[in-house]
Every structure is written in structure tokens, then in C-alpha cells.
């Protein structure tokens, strides 16, 4: 990216590059090398910025390597920095923006989870102090904790909640055991009451039976009939529905009694009595009657205990009131030592609490005692004297505070406020006096204390409304002007942030444009200062944007210098790779490889320092020419050696074929130099076969030689020229008649001809001379001709 940033605008080639229009530059390799260099340069910067979110955010915005930018995002720590990164990197690479967004979501989720865990822990802590412990709230706390992700919480939160939960479990078990003991005691008391009622009923029935046994003799029939007519009708039994209803009401009353809920039990008994009224004359049964009587008896007993306890509570409350009155009297006499000072707020709360307790005891049915009430009321009135004095002083202080506030509002209302001028220079003088008066007013208003504690409650609402009107008269136009000024500063910030992106295309005029933006900012800041918090936040953003411009400009120039230095080092290494070779001992293949690699690397268009261009090009050309000459000379020497070995092997084959008696030729054959495969194979076949003529006819062999001589344009006698013409005519005729073989590459065809000529044995003397003359011409040809090897 930075190499494109500083590329020449006229499209000329970069200095130091060899123009090779036939070969495309290896752009992928160059980009990979540039990415590696940039990563090596930016990695130390990333390590140095760890722990500094502002520096990491700048690296995430300006680093040319994607991995470095993602690593900077991963190293951000604060949620504010992640929010800024997610907002400002939306137009950057999508991977960087996704990484910032993922980190921000994870940070917000972790913060919310930890805040939720803290709220659950606070609720559990508060619940541990309540008696009795409500089970429904404990279940709600468990559900709230289970809804949290434990992996996002702090270890201290997890361990703290575990300890609290164990403590709550212990309290819950203790509370359950206590309730079981109370229920057992109440059930035992209820059973005793029922047993007593049943015993009383049995005694009553026995008494009635005794009375019936002692009754006078039976009357006459007429008297019996009159008594039967006057007697009440016979009793009826309860229906199943009526018995079920009564059983339910009795069960409710007994449950309320077992729970100690006297008011609920009394209400259930009233409902039961109302249900029994229409059942007069209906036989209830011993069990139901005994349970009803036991409940009524227990209610009367508890009422008695309640009245007795209420009377004792009232007497204790009177004693407490008189004690606090005595303490108040002692506190009012400073000459008495070692008397605790009254805390009037707690003192007043104690008086109110005692009056509330009196009402509660009286409501529960305690016996009315006018003497106790008078003693109680007189004592509390005496104890309330210092509280009343304090309230009177507080009332007077609030009135003075109200008058001071009204005076401040009157002064603020007198501040003149005209139309704001259109010129920016005149606006500063126009808003100076209203802003100064508003600042003085707000300072004096805050010194008078909180409004809800220093002003009479009856006047608070009207004073608040007047405050809003008076302040709004000045703040409304000021806020409108400040919003306009804030919008102007936002536009300046946007221009500064956009300048960071424009720096990529036009880096040279960045400094004058930044100076211009800074001058505009100073002008707006002098025209209308904003609130300190808003002004600091906007200035911080503007400064960060301008600093980013300078930082990116400096980074771009540094990267350009580093790139030029790296390119120069690479060019120097290319030249050194050619000049450091020992041309006498280095194989020609290695020299050719170095030459090819140097040519390929030099064709890649890169920039180098201008001062080094000419000298570097000259050194490269000289080193390349020397290496190319060495390669050519070595290849030519190898070619001559191959052609000489070919002539020697060919002569040895001819000598072996011309000696009928045979001889020792194997050692001489093995001592000869190696040949290319295209030549070695036909000669090896010729050497391994018995001495004979062939495999071609003499005419076919003569045609091969004619074709090869014509291919090398060798001098020919008139007879040979005529034979060549005849051969061409025959080839043309075969081609026209379709008898010619499938066309091949000319070089391949000539190599096949030469291989067939080498394989031919039993050649005449004239044919041998022509073949050796052909090998001599081949020796002067370029390396690699007729299937030979150029290496």
C-alpha cells in the first residue's frame, strides 16, 4: 500500500528497474516480501503500545498489515476504547471491524454479567439479615444466579456467592427446625384443649344422666301428650355437604391457631358461627361440637392473655416515655456532667416510634387507662421540646435561605439579553456578560445547599419553577449558540478525520491543511466557549485526529524510507550473488541458475534511493555480463568436448567395423567421454550389435546425409546440389500425394535424422567422410543442436 502511495504520478518506471516488456513482474512475491518487512517493523511498535489503549487504537487504524491491526484490537482493554474502535473502524477492513465488534460485545456482556452478579450478591446479603427468611426470595436469588454465565464472573464473586448461599441454607435449616418445634408445641396445646373439652362434655353428659335418673314418675297419658305437643321437634343430622363445609372452616381456624395468627383465627371463627346459626336444632356430633368449643375456649384464653400483656406493654411504654423525658431534661442543663448529648434526629424518631407502638397496642384490644395515657402524653411532649426548638430554627433558616435564593433570581432576571450579532468576532463580547452572570449565579445557588433540604416544602415547587424560568431565559439562547458552535467543532473534527484518509492519496499538503483546521478551531473556541466537559471531549477528539494525521504522515515517510532501504539492500544482494561466484570452479548449471534468478528478481519494479540508481544499474550490468560470458564460455567448452567425444566414439565404431579379425576395443570405448542421451543411445546400439551393414540402405543413408547437409547449409558439389534438389522434389511430391509422414518440429526431425545416421553401420568411405564433416560442422553450431545438451 505504501509503495503505491509514493509511486510516480506520471507512470514512469521506478528507477533501478530493467525494462522487460516480455516478462510480467512477480507482484505476489513482492507483496509477500513487503508484508513481511512491514510486519517486522510494526511488531515492536505493537509490543511497546501494550497497555496504552490510545496507542493500540492508532495502530489498529494505521498499520499496513492486517494481522498487526487485529492483534492491536485484541490487546485493547477498556470498553470505551472498544466502542471507539468499533465505531471508527466500520469503514476499514471487515475483519478488523468484526474483531472490534466481537471484543466489544464480549466486554459489555462481561460487565453486565458481573453487575448482575453483584446485584444478586447484594440481595443475598440483605436476605441473610431478615427473620424469618422468606423462601420465595431465596428461590428468586437462585434463579437469578443460575441465569448468569459463570465463566464471565470474577472468582471473588463466585466464591462470595457460594459462601452466602451456604450461610442462607444454614439459616433456612435453622428456621425450619424452629418452625417445626413451634408447630409441635401448638399441636400439643391444641390436643390438650380438645381433651379438656371432651372431658368437660363427658362430665356434662354424666350430670344430665344423673338428673334423668332422679326424675319423678311418668305422668298420665294426657300429660304426656300435652308435653309432647309443647316439646321442640326432634333433632336432625348434618348432611355430607354441611359437614364438609364445617370441617373446612374448623380446619382453617385450627391452622390459624397453630400458626399463632389470632386475628385470622377469630375471623374464621366468626365465619363458622355464621354458618352454625341456620343449623340450630341439627345434631353436630360430639367430635365437631368438641372442636368448636375448644376453639372458642382457646380464643377467650388468648384474648385474656392479650389484654393482660397489652396492659403490661402500656405500662412499660409509659415508663420508657418518662425515662426519655427525664433524659431530655438532664441534657438541657449543661451544668450537669456526664450526660450524653441528644441526637435530635434519632430522638424524634424514638418519640414517633413510641406513639406508633401505643396505637398498635391500643388497636390490639388493650384495656383503656386514661391515667396511663396522660402520663405517656405529658412525658413525650416534654421530650419533644428540643425537637420542636430545632424544627423552629430549621424553619427560620429555610425562610432566610428562600429569601437569599429569591434575591439571586431577581439579580439574574435583571441581566440584559439582546440579539446575538452575526459576526463571529462580536459574539464573544455579546455572550461574555450573560455567561459571567450565569456562572456567578450558579456558584452562589450551589453554596446555598440542596433545594429539597433548605427551602420550606410549601414554597419549593414555585421556587423550582421560577429557577427554571430565570435560568432558561439565559441558557436557552446560550445553549442554542453552543449547539451551533458544537456542530461547527464536529464538522472540524470530521474534516480532520477525513484528512487521515486523504493522506493516502495526497500526503504532501497535509501539514498546511492541518494548520488551517487548527486556526479555525482556535477562532471558534474564542468565539463561544462550551462547557468544560464538552469542550475537553471535543478537543480530545480533534487533537487525536490531527495527531493521527501527523503520525500517519510520519509513519508513511518512515515506511517509505524503510522500503527504499530494503529495496536497495535487496538490489545489492542480487549484485553480490553474481560477483561473489568463483567462475573458475562453479558449475555452469549453478551459474545459469544464479543468472536466471537475478534476472527474474531485477525485473520486479521497485524504488531505490535516487542517488544509488545509476551506480547500482551499472554494477548490475557489469556483473551480469561477466556471469553471462562465463556461462557461455563454459557451455561452449562443454559442447566442444561432447562433439569431440562423439567423433572419437564414431571413429572407434568405424575402426571396429573395418577390422574383420576383431580386437580389444572395450577398454577404449569405456575410456571415452560421456555423450548426451540422444547420441549415446544409437551409438550404444550400433556398438552392441554384430558387425554388419545397416539397418538403412545405402540410398536411404545418402538421403539422410543430404537432408542434414542441407539443414546445416554445408558446401556441396554440383552433383550433391542436384541430389538435394531431387530430394526436395520427392518430398514435395509425397506431400502432395498424401504419402508424407505427419509433420514434426524441424529441430526434432533433424535430431531423429542424425540419430539414424549414427546408428548406421558398414558405411562407405565417402559416407564416413561426409558424416565426420557433418560432426565438424555440428561442433561449430550453437550448443544443443541435433539433440545435444547445452549444459
Amino acid at each position: 500500500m505504501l509503495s503505491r502511495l509514493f509511486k510516480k504520478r506520471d507512470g514512469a518506471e521506478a528507477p533501478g528497474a530493467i525494462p522487460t516488456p516480455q516478462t510480467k513482474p512477480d507482484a505476489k512475491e513482492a507483496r509477500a516480501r513487503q508484508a513481511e518487512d512491514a510486519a517486522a517493523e510494526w511488531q515492536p511498535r505493537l509490543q511497546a503500545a501494550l497497555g496504552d489503549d490510545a496507542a493500540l487504537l492508532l495502530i489498529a487504524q494505521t498499520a499496513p498489515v492486517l494481522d498487526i491491526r487485529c492483534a492491536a484490537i485484541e490487546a485493547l482493554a477498556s470498553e470505551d476504547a472498544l466502542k471507539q474502535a468499533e465505531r471508527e473502524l466500520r469503514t476499514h477492513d471487515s475483519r478488523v471491524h468484526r474483531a472490534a465488534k466481537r471484543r466489544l460485545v464480549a466486554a459489555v456482556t462481561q460487565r453486565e454479567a458481573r453487575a448482575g452478579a453483584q446485584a444478586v450478591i447484594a440481595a443475598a446479603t440483605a436476605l441473610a439479615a431478615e427473620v424469618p427468611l422468606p423462601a420465595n426470595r431465596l428461590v428468586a436469588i437462585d434463579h437469578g444466579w443460575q441465569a448468569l454465565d459463570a465463566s464471565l464472573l470474577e472468582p471473588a464473586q463466585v466464591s462470595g456467592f457460594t459462601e452466602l448461599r451456604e450461610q442462607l441454607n444454614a439459616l433456612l435449616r435453622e428456621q425450619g427446625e424452629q418452625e417445626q418445634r413451634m408447630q409441635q408445641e401448638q399441636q400439643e396445646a391444641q390436643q390438650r384443649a380438645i381433651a379438656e373439652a371432651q372431658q368437660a362434655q363427658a362430665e356434662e353428659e354424666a350430670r344430665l344422666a344423673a338428673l334423668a335418673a332422679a326424675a319423678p314418675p311418668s305422668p298420665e297419658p294426657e300429660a304426656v301428650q300435652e308435653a309432647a305437643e309443647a316439646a321442640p321437634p326432634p333433632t336432625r343430622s348434618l348432611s355430607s355437604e354441611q359437614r364438609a363445609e364445617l370441617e373446612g372452616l374448623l380446619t382453617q381456624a385450627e391452622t390459624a391457631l397453630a400458626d399463632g395468627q389470632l386475628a385470622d383465627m377469630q375471623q374464621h371463627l366468626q365465619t363458622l358461627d355464621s354458618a352454625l346459626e341456620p343449623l340450630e336444632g341439627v345434631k353436630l356430633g360430639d367430635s365437631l361440637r368438641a372442636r368448636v368449643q375448644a376453639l372458642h375456649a382457646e380464643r377467650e384464653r388468648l384474648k385474656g392473655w392479650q389484654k393482660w400483656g397489652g396492659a403490661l406493654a402500656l405500662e412499660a411504654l409509659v415508663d420508657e416515655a418518662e425515662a426519655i423525658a427525664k433524659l431530655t431534661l438532664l441534657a438541657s442543663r449543661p451544668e450537669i456532667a456526664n450526660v450524653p448529648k441528644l441526637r435530635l434526629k434519632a430522638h424524634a424518631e424514638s418519640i414517633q416510634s413510641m406513639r406508633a407502638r401505643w396505637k398498635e397496642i391500643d388497636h390490639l384490644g388493650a384495656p383503656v387507662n386514661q391515667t396511663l395515657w396522660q402520663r405517656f402524653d405529658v412525658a413525650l411532649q416534654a421530650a419533644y421540646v428540643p425537637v420542636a426548638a430545632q424544627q423552629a430554627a430549621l424553619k427560620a433558616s429555610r425562610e432566610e435561605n428562600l429569601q437569599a435564593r429569591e434575591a439571586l433570581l431577581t439579580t439574574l432576571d435583571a441581566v440584559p439579553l439582546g440579539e446575538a450579532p452575526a459576526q463571529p468576532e462580536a459574539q464573544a463580547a455579546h455572550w461574555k456578560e450573560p455567561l459571567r452572570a450565569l456562572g456567578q449565579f450558579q456558584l452562589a445557588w450551589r453554596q446555598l445547599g440542596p433545594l429539597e433540604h433548605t427551602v420550606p416544602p410549601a414554597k419549593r415547587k414555585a421556587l423550582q419553577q421560577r429557577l427554571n424560568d430565570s435560568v432558561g431565559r439565559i441558557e436557552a439562547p446560550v445553549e442554542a449558540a453552543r449547539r451551533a458552535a458544537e456542530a461547527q467543532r464536529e464538522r472540524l473534527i470530521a474534516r480532520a478525520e477525513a484528512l487521515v484518509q486523504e493522506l493516502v492519496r495526497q500526503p504532501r499538503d497535509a501539514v498546511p491543511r492541518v494548520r488551517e483546521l487548527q486556526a479555525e478551531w482556535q477562532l471558534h473556541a474564542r468565539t463561544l466557549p462550551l462547557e468544560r466537559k464538552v469542550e475537553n471531549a471535543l478537543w480530545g477528539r480533534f487533537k487525536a485526529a490531527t495527531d493521527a494525521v501527523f503520525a500517519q504522515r510520519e509513519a508513511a515517510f518512515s515506511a517509505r524510507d524503510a522500503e527504499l532501504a530494503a529495496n536497495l539492500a535487496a538490489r545489492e544482494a542480487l549484485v553480490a550473488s553474481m560477483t561473489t561466484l568463483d567462475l573458475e570452479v562453479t558449475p555452469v548449471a549453478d551459474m545459469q541458475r544464479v543468472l536466471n534468478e537475478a534476472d527474474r528478481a531485477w525485473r520486479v519494479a521497485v524504488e531505490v534511493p535516487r542517488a544509488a540508481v545509476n551506480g547500482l544499474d551499472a554494477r548490475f550490468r557489469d556483473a551480469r555480463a561477466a556471469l553471462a560470458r562465463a556461462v557461455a564460455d563454459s557451455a561452449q567448452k562443454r559442447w566442444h568436448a561432447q562433439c569431440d567425444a562423439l567423433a572419437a566414439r564414431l571413429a572407434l565404431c568405424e575402426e571396429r567395423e573395418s577390422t574383420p579379425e576383431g580386437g580389444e576395443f572395450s577398454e577404449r570405448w569405456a575410456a571415452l567421454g560421456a555423450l548426451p542421451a540422444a547420441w549415446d543411445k544409437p551409438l550404444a546400439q550400433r556398438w552392441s550389435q554384430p558387425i554388419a551393414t545397416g539397418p538403412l540402405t545405402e540410398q536411404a543413408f545418402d538421403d539422410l546425409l543430404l537432408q542434414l547437409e542441407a539443414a546445416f547449409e554445408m558446401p556441396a558439389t554440383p552433383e550433391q546440389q542436384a541430389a538435394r534438389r531431387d530430394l526436395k522434389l520427392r518430398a514435395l511430391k509425397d506431400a502432395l500425394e498424401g504419402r508424407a509422414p505427419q509433420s514434426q518440429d524441424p529441430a526434432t526431425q533433424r535430431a531423429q535424422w542424425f540419430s539414424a545416421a549414427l546408428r548406421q553401420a558398414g558405411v562407405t568411405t565417402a559416407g564416413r567422410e561426409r558424416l565426420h564433416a557433418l560432426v565438424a560442422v555440428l561442433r561449430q553450431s550453437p550448443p544443443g543442436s541435433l539433440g545435444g545438451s547445452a549444459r
Side-chain angles (χ1 to χ4, degrees):
M1 181 180 72
L2 296 177
S3 62
R4 295 197 300 272
L5 177 64
F6 297 103
K7 192 175 289 184
K8 288 187 176 181
R9 301 179 184 177
D10 55 359
E13 276 190 327
I18 297 178
T20 55
Q22 295 83 1
T23 306
K24 294 183 179 180
D26 193 350
K28 184 176 180 181
E29 183 179 355
R31 286 197 301 270
R33 194 160 51 248
Q34 291 175 1
E36 293 177 358
D37 296 341
E41 177 187 359
W42 281 86
Q43 189 65 34
R45 300 187 184 182
L46 178 62
Q47 294 295 330
L50 294 179
D52 187 354
D53 286 348
L56 289 171
L57 185 58
L58 181 61
I59 291 176
Q61 293 174 334
T62 58
V65 182
L66 181 60
D67 293 339
I68 295 295
R69 296 167 64 190
C70 292
I73 291 296
E74 295 295 336
L76 290 175
S78 65
E79 184 177 333
D80 293 337
L82 290 172
K83 286 182 181 178
Q84 184 178 359
E86 192 277 333
R87 182 175 62 252
E88 295 181 358
L89 296 177
R90 292 176 181 173
T91 58
H92 289 63
D93 189 273
S94 59
R95 283 181 54 190
V96 181
H97 178 253
R98 285 197 302 270
K101 187 174 182 180
R102 173 180 55 78
R103 286 290 320 285
L104 175 59
V105 171
V108 171
T109 304
Q110 184 184 58
R111 174 176 55 79
E112 292 177 350
R114 292 182 176 180
Q118 199 62 35
V120 173
I121 292 173
T125 304
L127 186 63
E130 294 189 13
V131 178
L133 190 65
N136 58 338
R137 290 180 55 189
L138 183 59
V139 173
I141 288 175
D142 286 339
H143 288 171
W145 185 264
Q146 291 172 1
L148 300 173
D149 188 353
S151 62
L152 301 177
L153 306 182
E154 297 179 355
Q157 290 179 324
V158 177
S159 60
F161 179 79
T162 303
E163 294 176 0
L164 277 174
R165 192 64 184 84
E166 293 177 355
Q167 180 182 356
L168 290 174
N169 288 337
L171 291 175
L172 190 61
R173 287 194 299 271
E174 182 180 354
Q175 177 180 325
E177 293 173 357
Q178 185 177 3
E179 289 179 354
Q180 288 180 358
R181 288 195 299 269
M182 292 178 61
Q183 289 178 2
Q184 184 176 1
E185 293 174 358
Q186 291 173 357
Q187 289 176 0
E188 291 176 356
Q190 183 179 359
Q191 290 174 1
R192 286 196 302 269
I194 292 174
E196 291 174 359
Q198 290 176 352
Q199 183 178 1
Q201 182 181 2
E203 292 176 355
E204 182 66 20
E205 290 178 353
R207 187 180 64 83
L208 293 176
L211 291 175
S218 301
E220 295 295 330
E222 292 82 3
V224 173
Q225 182 177 1
E226 291 177 0
E229 291 177 355
T235 58
R236 305 185 307 275
S237 299
L238 289 173
S239 63
S240 59
E241 292 80 2
Q242 292 172 338
R243 180 173 294 276
E245 180 182 2
L246 293 178
E247 287 282 352
L249 293 174
L250 281 171
T251 302
Q252 292 176 357
E254 290 169 350
T255 303
L257 176 61
D259 293 340
Q261 305 292 335
L262 183 59
D264 293 344
M265 183 194 74
Q266 187 170 354
Q267 184 179 0
H268 293 315
L269 278 179
Q270 291 176 357
T271 306
L272 179 62
D273 293 340
S274 300
L276 289 174
E277 287 180 0
L279 298 178
E280 186 177 0
V282 178
K283 186 177 181 180
L284 297 179
D286 296 340
S287 176
L288 288 177
R289 186 182 300 107
R291 291 171 66 185
V292 172
Q293 291 174 357
L295 287 173
H296 279 284
E298 186 65 18
R299 181 183 65 176
E300 295 302 325
R301 186 180 68 84
L302 292 176
K303 277 187 176 181
W305 278 104
Q306 187 178 27
K307 289 181 179 181
W308 179 77
L312 293 180
L314 290 178
E315 290 179 1
L317 197 57
V318 171
D319 293 340
E320 185 178 353
E322 290 177 345
I324 197 174
K326 182 179 180 180
L327 181 62
T328 304
L329 179 61
L330 292 176
S332 63
R333 300 174 64 182
E335 65 274 9
I336 302 177
N338 299 327
V339 177
K341 184 179 180 181
L342 291 180
R343 299 183 180 275
L344 293 181
K345 182 177 181 181
H347 189 70
E349 292 176 353
S350 298
I351 294 173
Q352 293 177 358
S353 174
M354 283 189 287
R355 289 192 180 275
R357 285 158 56 192
W358 183 281
K359 291 181 180 179
E360 183 180 358
I361 295 172
D362 183 66
H363 178 70
L364 292 176
V368 179
N369 190 325
Q370 191 65 27
T371 303
L372 287 177
W373 164 249
Q374 290 177 354
R375 287 172 56 193
F376 177 77
D377 187 56
V378 169
L380 289 188
Q381 287 181 4
Y384 196 73
V385 170
V387 178
Q390 184 195 41
Q391 290 184 349
L394 180 61
K395 182 178 181 181
S397 174
R398 288 179 174 178
E399 288 294 339
E400 292 178 2
N401 190 283
L402 176 62
Q403 294 175 4
R405 292 180 187 273
E406 290 178 345
L408 288 176
L409 290 172
T410 302
T411 303
L412 185 63
D413 292 339
V415 176
L417 192 67
E419 293 291 334
Q423 298 78 9
E425 296 79 3
Q427 289 183 5
H430 173 77
W431 294 115
K432 182 178 180 180
E433 180 60 26
L435 289 175
R436 183 190 63 80
L438 182 60
Q440 293 179 349
F441 168 81
Q442 292 174 340
L443 177 61
W445 188 274
R446 287 193 298 269
Q447 292 175 350
L448 291 175
L451 191 66
E452 58 272 13
H453 300 308
T454 57
V455 175
K459 305 293 184 63
R460 193 175 301 158
K461 185 176 180 181
L463 184 64
Q464 183 66 48
Q465 182 61 41
R466 184 181 176 187
L467 172 66
N468 295 338
D469 296 340
S470 299
V471 174
R473 184 181 72 91
I474 297 179
E475 280 191 343
V478 171
E479 288 299 325
R482 282 179 171 172
R483 284 194 296 271
E486 186 175 348
Q488 292 174 347
R489 286 169 171 76
E490 289 285 355
R491 286 192 289 271
L492 291 177
I493 293 173
R495 288 168 56 188
E497 292 174 347
L499 192 59
V500 178
Q501 304 301 327
E502 295 178 9
L503 179 61
V504 178
R505 300 186 298 272
Q506 190 71 19
R508 295 183 179 178
D509 61 343
V511 174
R513 296 177 64 181
V514 170
R515 301 301 184 201
E516 180 182 352
L517 288 175
Q518 291 175 339
E520 292 185 29
W521 184 279
Q522 294 175 359
L523 175 61
H524 288 299
R526 290 193 301 269
T527 300
L528 181 61
L530 303 178
E531 293 182 4
R532 183 179 300 275
K533 182 179 180 181
V534 177
E535 187 77 52
N536 292 340
L538 292 174
W539 169 248
R541 292 171 54 197
F542 179 77
K543 187 175 183 302
T546 54
D547 290 346
V549 173
F550 290 116
Q552 184 164 342
R553 178 175 177 270
E554 184 65 25
F557 285 130
S558 299
R560 179 175 180 271
D561 294 340
E563 181 184 7
L564 294 178
N567 293 340
L568 178 61
R571 294 297 195 193
E572 293 283 357
L574 286 178
V575 175
S577 66
M578 294 185 292
T579 57
T580 56
L581 285 178
D582 190 349
L583 302 182
E584 298 296 332
V585 298
T586 303
V588 65
D590 293 342
M591 291 191 291
Q592 186 65 46
R593 177 182 55 78
V594 172
L595 185 62
N596 294 337
E597 292 177 355
D599 286 340
R600 183 169 58 253
W602 196 267
R603 293 189 191 101
V604 178
V606 294
E607 283 189 280
V608 296
R610 295 180 181 274
V613 171
N614 295 332
L616 190 63
D617 287 345
R619 290 168 56 199
F620 178 78
R621 286 194 298 269
D622 294 344
R624 187 185 184 284
L627 185 59
R629 284 195 301 271
V631 170
D633 293 344
S634 178
Q636 193 67 31
K637 291 178 182 178
R638 183 179 178 84
W639 176 254
H640 288 169
Q642 291 177 353
C643 291
D644 293 342
L646 174 63
R649 285 183 181 272
L650 186 61
L652 188 59
C653 288
E654 293 171 352
E655 182 181 354
R656 174 175 171 268
E657 293 168 358
S658 62
T659 306
E661 295 82 3
E664 295 296 333
F665 298 103
S666 298
E667 294 181 0
R668 294 171 58 189
W669 179 269
L672 294 176
L675 293 177
W679 297 348
D680 185 67
K681 184 177 180 180
L683 288 176
Q685 292 177 354
R686 179 176 175 179
W687 182 265
S688 61
Q689 292 176 358
I691 298 174
T693 303
L696 299 177
T697 63
E698 184 177 355
Q699 181 61 40
F701 180 71
D702 186 64
D703 291 342
L704 283 178
L705 293 177
L706 287 174
Q707 290 170 339
L708 291 171
E709 290 168 350
F712 281 99
E713 298 181 355
M714 296 175 58
T717 62
E719 293 80 4
Q720 291 176 342
Q721 291 180 355
R724 290 180 187 177
R725 285 194 299 269
D726 183 59
L727 184 62
K728 290 181 180 181
L729 289 175
R730 279 187 289 149
L732 180 61
K733 180 180 178 182
D734 292 340
L736 292 176
E737 294 177 355
R739 292 196 300 256
Q742 186 176 1
S743 61
Q744 295 180 350
D745 179 56
T748 304
Q749 184 67 53
R750 289 193 294 270
Q752 293 177 355
W753 291 341
F754 188 66
S755 177
L758 295 177
R759 193 182 300 111
Q760 182 70 15
V763 183
T764 61
T765 304
R768 292 178 184 176
E769 294 176 355
R770 292 175 64 188
L771 185 57
H772 282 283
L774 184 62
V775 172
V777 173
L778 180 63
R779 189 175 186 277
Q780 304 303 323
S781 300
S785 300
L786 295 182
S789 175
R791 297 183 180 273

